[in-house]
Every structure is written in structure tokens, then in C-alpha cells.
Amino acid sequence: DGGITQSPKYLFRKEGQNVTLSCEQNLNHDAMYWYRQDPGQGLRLIYYSQIVNDFQKGDIAEGYSVSREKKESFPLTVTSAQKNPTAFYLCASTAGGELFFGEGSRLTVL
Amino acid sequence: RKEVEQDPGPFNVPEGATVAFNCTYSNSASQSFFWYRQDCRKEPKLLMSVYSSGNEDGRFTAQLNRASQYISLLIRDSKLSDSATYLCVVPRRAYQAGTALIFGKGTTLSVSS
């Protein structure tokens, strides 16, 4: 089945550690997105990519980094510079219509 | 005006009721709009796309008012299963794959028996 796979589903991290969230899609979509959701809030755009080897900062990119070396993959690194990293992270892809989401990764910083 | 703004609710309605949500947007260049549904602790899923004046799918109707820059979502004959958060999505410019897509904070609907 085609879809988006995010891993890990749950992740705990100590303060000061970097962590990388994986996002893989087999939908052959060019565009991919990373969003962050805090409790009771909507989704806020972190980074997005229109095509391989290209990506743009979203509204809350500080403390995050991404790469887009392959069409299928768009990993997100949460660095120690991100002051409040505990959140629900959602990856999505699209061919220009519907956004398809992964099941999300819940990051908790201890 | 905020880029995308929704009434957070919650909207508490009985089964069978009709309920409407509004979403206002600031960028007059936006052409396409979307309503997503999100269940608690789950990923959002597309409910409806709105490309022109409106769209209808069964009990759900979305309408676009470009002059006043808002999109509405009407749910008729509410079911218990409609309880969820409804997210309004607006592209930051003319929509194509790779355009920044901005989500509202969502409107929470609770349908009771």
C-alpha cells in the first residue's frame, strides 16, 4: 500500500540532545512538509520541500534542520537549539492536491 | 487580520443538529482552500477541497466568499462520529505542490446523543 511512514512513533530525549525523525513516502510525490502540533493548537509549518535537493524554511524553522537527498525521504532533525521541542510532529506529502499525512511522531524532552 | 483564523469553539451540539464553522484568511491571492478533519491524537485527513464558490459532499457543504475572505463548513444532520477538530487550510500563494500550506488552529465539534 502507498503511504507515508514516520518513525519513531514515540521518542524520549534528554535536553541537549539532537534527534532525527524519519519520514518516508512511496506515493511518488514531489512535495513534502513537516509540521509541529502542540496541545490544543493547529499545525505550524517547520520546513517544506518542493523537489529533491531543495527545501524552504517555514514559520518556525529555528532549531530544526532537514535534508531532501531522495524523493522518498525528508528527515527532520530537532537540534538542541530548539527551546521547546516537546510536541507532535507530522510529515506530509502531496502531488498538488490532497495532503497525505503520516501517523506522526511524539517527541518528549525529559 | 491573521493569516488563517478559526473560531476554536468548542461547538457542542445534539445529534441531528446543523452546525457551521467559519474560517477567515488574509491573503487575497489564495485560490484553493481545504477543510481537514483531525481526531484526537491522530493525523489530519482531508474532508473537502474548495476551488471555486463551494463544494458539497453528502451532509457537508463548504462555501467560499472571496469578497469577505472566508470559507465556511456546514454540517447537516450531525452524527456522533462527526465529533472531531476541523482544520481550515490556506495556501500562501497560488496552490501547487510545494506551496506553503497554512493551517488554522482548528474548531472543535462535540456531538452528543
Side-chain angles (χ1 to χ4, degrees):
Chain A
D1 274 16
I4 298 182
T5 301
Q6 288 188 241
S7 64
K9 199 165 184 177
Y10 298 95
L11 184 61
F12 297 88
R13 167 198 120 172
K14 292 182 181 178
E15 277 193 36
Q17 289 180 335
N18 292 356
V19 62
T20 297
L21 307 180
S22 169
C23 178
E24 302 278 334
Q25 55 102 354
N26 60 3
L27 299 167
N28 200 33
H29 288 165
D30 283 319
M32 297 187 74
Y33 300 77
W34 274 105
Y35 289 91
R36 166 185 173 139
Q37 188 172 34
D38 294 284
Q41 300 294 315
L43 280 66
R44 291 187 290 166
L45 183 61
I46 305 173
Y47 268 98
Y48 59 108
S49 168
Q50 190 170 18
I51 201 167
V52 175
N53 293 321
D54 182 62
F55 50 82
Q56 284 78 42
K57 292 183 179 180
D59 299 322
I60 56 164
E62 185 175 351
Y64 299 98
S65 66
V66 294
S67 62
R68 188 85 190 275
E69 296 174 2
K70 298 188 297 181
K71 187 176 187 177
E72 307 78 29
S73 179
F74 192 39
L76 174 75
T77 297
V78 185
T79 75
S80 55
Q82 169 48 234
K83 297 195 186 322
N84 296 298
T86 294
F88 184 41
Y89 290 88
L90 286 156
C91 178
S93 72
T94 182
E98 178 179 356
L99 264 182
F100 291 85
F101 283 90
E103 292 186 338
S105 293
R106 290 191 183 277
L107 172 62
T108 302
V109 174
L110 304 171
Chain B
R1 175 177 275 188
K2 288 186 179 176
E3 196 165 12
V4 183
E5 194 160 15
Q6 295 183 247
D7 182 345
F11 284 67
N12 297 305
V13 302
E15 274 186 292
T18 294
V19 63
F21 314 135
N22 276 345
C23 168
T24 58
Y25 62 94
S26 61
N27 185 357
S28 59
S30 299
Q31 299 288 317
S32 323
F33 306 87
F34 307 90
W35 282 103
Y36 278 74
R37 171 198 168 121
Q38 186 176 29
D39 292 300
C40 190
R41 300 177 71 83
K42 297 284 192 181
E43 74 274 21
K45 294 189 177 174
L46 181 67
L47 180 66
M48 299 188 76
S49 305
V50 187
Y51 295 111
S52 56
S53 61
N55 194 4
E56 186 171 331
D57 183 4
R59 299 183 293 108
F60 298 85
T61 300
Q63 290 192 315
L64 169 61
N65 185 317
R66 290 190 191 277
S68 300
Q69 294 183 208
Y70 75 84
I71 316 112
S72 63
L73 178 67
L74 181 77
I75 305 175
R76 290 180 296 276
D77 188 22
S78 298
K79 311 289 184 194
L80 293 174
S81 57
D82 293 334
S83 297
T85 297
Y86 292 84
L87 301 164
C88 173
V89 184
V90 179
R92 195 159 264 164
R93 54 180 175 83
Y95 182 50
Q96 60 180 0
T99 302
L101 289 163
I102 308 305
F103 281 71
K105 292 187 177 182
T107 297
T108 300
L109 172 66
S110 178
V111 181
S112 56
S113 57

